[in-house]
Amino acid sequence: MPNQQELVLSADTFSRGALRMTVTLLRSINPQLALTVQNQMCSPIAPQPDHNPSPKDNFKIDLAPLDVRGVVESLQIKGQHPQADPGTQMMVKALIIDWINYAHLLIDLENSKNA
């Protein structure tokens, strides 16, 4: 089992905090998609020594491309909401970048299968 320093994060690795925030933002727009994202938080890559959930926990996610598209589109809608404060808008933009990076990884994986 790799220790914390050897853990290599990639586009399909999300922190508990990022996944929780995504779920919170999606819940009012698309509850089913929010549940799908929430279900990705079942087993951390390198759990904390005391096995207590921590925002620092990281998870390898495995979502269908259409679900990823739905996440990005829903986050974009949420970020364009006129009553969103600047902090929320900045956080939404960061989440969108993370999800788009994951979408690019899925595209690259599909292209490598077809090559």
Side-chain angles (χ1 to χ4, degrees):
M1 183 169 151
N3 65 26
Q4 205 75 16
Q5 290 76 25
E6 294 173 356
L7 182 65
V8 177
L9 301 179
S10 66
D12 63 347
T13 305
F14 282 73
S15 69
R16 182 183 300 276
L19 291 173
R20 279 185 178 166
M21 185 53 61
T22 300
V23 169
T24 300
L25 293 168
L26 292 178
R27 193 168 281 137
S28 63
I29 298 171
N30 189 336
Q32 180 62 41
L33 188 56
L35 181 62
T36 300
V37 173
Q38 183 174 338
N39 288 340
Q40 298 294 306
M41 292 187 281
C42 57
S43 56
I45 295 171
Q48 301 300 312
D50 59 2
H51 297 288
N52 284 330
S54 165
K56 297 184 248 178
D57 288 336
N58 290 301
F59 299 88
K60 278 269 195 230
I61 60 170
D62 184 23
L63 289 177
L66 287 176
D67 287 338
V68 177
R69 177 182 174 179
V71 169
V72 172
E73 289 174 348
S74 297
L75 290 175
Q76 286 177 329
I77 291 168
K78 200 69 168 177
Q80 294 170 353
H81 195 274
Q83 295 164 335
D85 64 273
T88 301
Q89 288 177 340
M90 186 172 59
M91 190 170 31
V92 169
K93 287 179 185 176
L95 286 172
I96 288 170
I97 290 169
D98 289 345
W99 285 101
I100 288 174
N101 287 337
Y102 179 53
H104 284 275
L105 174 69
L106 293 177
I107 291 167
D108 290 343
L109 290 173
E110 191 61 32
N111 286 341
S112 68
K113 285 182 195 175
N114 295 332

